Amino acid sequence: MFISGFLPRSSKNGVSKTQSAGNQRHKSSLVGTSETTRATTYPKSFWEWLAGIIDGDGSFQVSKKGYTSLEITMGLEDLPLLRYIQHMLGGSIKMRAGAKAYRYRLHNQLGMIKLMNCINGHIRHSARLLQLHRVCQVLDIPVILPIPLDAQSNWFAGFFDADGTISIAMKHGLPQLSIRVTKKLLQDVESYKVVFGGSIYFDSSQNGYYQWSVQSRKDIIMMLDYFKSNTFRSHKSRRFFLIEEYYSLYDLKAFKPDSLHHKAWLAFLDKWNKLMI
């Protein structure tokens, strides 16, 4: 499955490529080099994860003078995540004025060319794909359309780091664990349902958005298995480490005030909440 407004064109290596109208009259010097470049520069897990981060919290820019750049903005608590990206790609990090957030920025041409060769084919967010086309047109790089996702793709980890939540809420006297990912457009979250099951709901608040979620133990354990083999880096993802403890205490009914294990439940909630500070 891929989400795109462009029809794929066949290529010798089996990867669908397309060029914008502005590119068609130029022969790119980078045609056929993207797979080789990124294979020798970054591990596959990194470029899939990074594409998920960019789809969730990033943007590609083209200035009036034709300079290209990448920006990723995240909360103060995820500075280590941005530092990791900076370590891999270079660039700069600055605190946003008046906001509790940091902005990572990459804008040198060589760095942007390397980036395109890293994430080309893995960007799939509606708006981000349009931005990718504009940047690739300026850099004279053919765009690789989104490749299909599967349960091993690190894209899901990156997108969760950007736009996911894992929380516990009390419903009818029982704790309910849920994993959610939200976005404005349905097509930007439906890949989670296709691969991991769960449900998608429309929330009319905040001008409307779509929310994918899993709440059953079976679906959450499936996500936990995915987490064990794919790297998350956001502060909120650390809650995945407590899922097994949550179910152990749930089975003991430790959440009930009269339970012999209630103190253990309260200690668990204290750890759970501190991970979001």
Side-chain angles (χ1 to χ4, degrees), residues 17-32:
K17 297 183 180 181
T18 186
Q19 288 182 312
S20 60
N23 267 354
Q24 290 175 354
R25 60 179 178 271
H26 301 292
K27 183 178 180 180
S28 172
S29 61
L30 296 176
V31 171

Side-chain angles (χ1 to χ4, degrees), residues 42 69-72 82-94 103-112 115:
Y42 305 105
S69 63
L70 163 70
E71 293 184 1
I72 302 173
L82 295 180
R83 292 288 189 199
Y84 172 70
I85 295 175
Q86 183 184 38
H87 170 73
M88 297 293 283
L89 300 178
S92 62
I93 298 175
K94 293 183 178 179
R103 184 188 70 180
Y104 166 81
R105 189 165 186 261
L106 178 70
H107 60 87
N108 71 83
Q109 186 178 35
L110 181 58
M112 287 299 295
L115 175 67

Side-chain angles (χ1 to χ4, degrees), residues 67-199:
Y67 297 112
T68 62
S69 63
L70 163 70
E71 293 184 1
I72 302 173
T73 302
M74 304 188 81
L76 300 180
E77 61 279 357
D78 282 319
L79 177 59
L81 183 153
L82 295 180
R83 292 288 189 199
Y84 172 70
I85 295 175
Q86 183 184 38
H87 170 73
M88 297 293 283
L89 300 178
S92 62
I93 298 175
K94 293 183 178 179
M95 181 179 289
R96 295 194 62 183
K100 295 181 179 180
Y102 284 102
R103 184 188 70 180
Y104 166 81
R105 189 165 186 261
L106 178 70
H107 60 87
N108 71 83
Q109 186 178 35
L110 181 58
M112 287 299 295
I113 290 173
K114 287 183 177 180
L115 175 67
M116 291 302 104
N117 286 319
C118 172
I119 48 81
N120 202 355
H122 300 286
I123 293 294
R124 61 192 66 248
H125 180 275
S126 312
R128 218 69 65 237
L129 196 56
L130 290 174
Q131 295 168 1
L132 179 77
H133 270 260
R134 296 188 187 103
V135 169
C136 285
Q137 180 177 355
V138 171
L139 298 177
D140 200 18
I141 297 175
V143 171
I144 302 174
L145 296 178
I147 63 176
L149 293 169
D150 57 37
Q152 283 71 51
S153 174
N154 277 269
W155 181 90
F156 290 108
F159 200 68
F160 180 89
D161 277 336
D163 287 321
T165 57
I166 175 170
S167 61
I168 297 173
M170 296 299 293
K171 293 183 178 180
H172 308 295
L174 298 174
Q176 177 65 67
L177 178 64
S178 64
I179 299 172
R180 303 186 301 275
V181 177
T182 60
K183 216 64 183 171
K184 283 291 183 181
L185 299 181
L186 172 63
Q187 65 196 66
D188 293 327
V189 297
E190 61 185 353
S191 56
Y192 275 89
K193 187 176 189 302
V194 170
V195 175
F196 297 110
S199 303

